[in-house]
Amino acid sequence: MFGKLLPAPMDGGFRMENYWVWCGSVIRDEDGRFHMFASRWPKWLPMHPGWLVASEIVRAVSDTPEGPYEYQEIVLPTRGAEYWDGRSTHNPHIVKHGDTYLLYYMGSTHPLPEPASGEGFGLDDPRCIVARANKRVGLATSNSIFGPWKRAVTPILPTRPGHFDSFLISNPAPCMHDDGSVLLIYKARQYEGNVHGNMTIGAAYAEHWSGPYRVISDKPVFPPGKIHIEDPFLWHTKDGYELIAKDMDGHLTGEKHGGIHALSVDGLSWELSANPRAYSRTLRWEDGIIRTMGNLERPFLLFQDGVPTHLFAAVSDGKQGFSDAKNTWNMVIPLTT
């Protein structure tokens, strides 16, 4: 698997005043600097579900993988309700093939007025319902880490009526192969009225990152009811694939929202590893104090020279997850190699 988790630096990762920050994905550029692509949305909206209607993907930079990362720019801003990703961009995952940077993400839209500061907004708001149903996975490309970024005109993965991914598609987890082909694991829900069905995980494949992407799993790759996970991150090994993800119920690791570790030969048939607990929400920090985070989600491994060196995760300071959180940020945990 990957290395043992070391104490987390107190000032590491990426925070922004007056913003909720989530979904950190990091890559090293040609000059050796580290760029984090992250989601942010204003704190005058609730953390959840504010991201559905106001998230935007930004870029921050650091000279070291630990950070702290300094905000640079908005990468994928809002661009109008008429676009499939016009009202929200979220779940960034940055990779590179050859000379091209590839930014996978979730986008959504809705045709209703945007929320205003001081206005109530929640899960039963029509904007939330429509935006949730419009969640799709997209791809933006650039020949430079600084952009400009060219977005795909349409989502790279549409929903499929009558299947487990008929309602929404999000949380892209791409695994780039040397030949340019991509195995893409994603989160999906089935259509069940204007809410959604149970969370499932699907798999798609493209012979080249430019597409087309086709779903290769007739059924979810993790059996619903047995393996309930979210936020997968996967990588290629000499034996196949490995994956870490959030244990939604705690039945797999003994800790609700802890991390699982799974193995696969082909990316379709997965088994939990002999020691399936990959990480915990309870962490040791560099000041010697052990803290249990309200959330520890969206895990991302930074690989350097083929070796995982750092685990990034979106965290909150709440006692009951993000429902009572005052702050969220992307933290970093160094790994032994």
Side-chain angles (χ1 to χ4, degrees), residues 61-191:
V61 69
S62 170
D63 290 329
T64 66
E66 292 82 8
Y69 286 78
E70 181 180 348
Y71 169 77
Q72 298 293 295
E73 63 175 342
I74 301 172
V75 176
L76 298 183
T78 58
R79 56 174 180 166
E82 68 270 30
Y83 293 94
W84 70 270
D85 60 350
R87 287 288 177 84
S88 177
T89 56
H90 198 66
N91 296 150
H93 189 121
I94 186 73
V95 296
K96 188 181 182 185
H97 184 259
D99 295 328
T100 305
Y101 288 94
L102 309 167
L103 181 58
Y104 293 83
Y105 66 100
M106 184 282 297
S108 184
T109 192
H110 67 83
L112 305 171
E114 294 189 42
S117 180
E119 177 185 359
F121 182 77
L123 289 169
D124 58 351
D125 190 292
R127 290 165 293 196
C128 177
I129 294 171
V130 176
R132 187 189 295 276
N134 281 329
K135 290 168 65 177
R136 304 289 185 268
V137 166
L139 175 62
T141 61
S142 176
N143 291 327
S144 167
I145 197 72
F146 306 105
W149 294 89
K150 181 180 180 180
R151 306 194 209 187
V153 177
T154 58
I156 61 173
L157 274 185
T159 52
R160 301 183 301 157
H163 293 79
F164 67 88
D165 48 9
S166 58
F167 187 80
L168 64 81
I169 292 174
S170 64
N171 295 43
C175 181
M176 177 66 65
H177 303 119
D178 291 341
D179 63 359
S181 62
V182 180
L183 173 67
L184 183 69
I185 301 294
Y186 63 94
K187 169 183 163 182
R189 292 186 186 267
Q190 191 167 4
Y191 177 79

Side-chain angles (χ1 to χ4, degrees), residues 242-313:
E242 297 188 34
L243 174 149
I244 55 175
K246 182 175 66 170
D247 182 357
M248 294 298 293
D249 302 317
H251 298 158
L252 307 173
T253 63
E255 178 188 354
K256 185 175 181 179
H257 295 175
I260 72 152
H261 178 228
L263 310 170
S264 175
V265 173
D266 58 4
L268 289 173
S269 299
W270 290 88
E271 295 182 356
L272 294 178
S273 63
N275 181 15
R277 188 170 181 172
Y279 55 83
S280 170
R281 288 190 294 118
T282 301
L283 302 168
R284 183 181 297 276
W285 294 73
E286 279 186 341
D287 63 359
I289 296 178
I290 296 175
R291 297 177 175 88
T292 298
M293 311 308 296
N295 299 78
L296 197 148
E297 306 183 10
R298 300 292 299 157
F300 180 92
L301 286 173
L302 173 65
F303 281 77
Q304 299 187 77
D305 301 321
V307 178
T309 61
H310 295 78
L311 172 66
F312 293 84

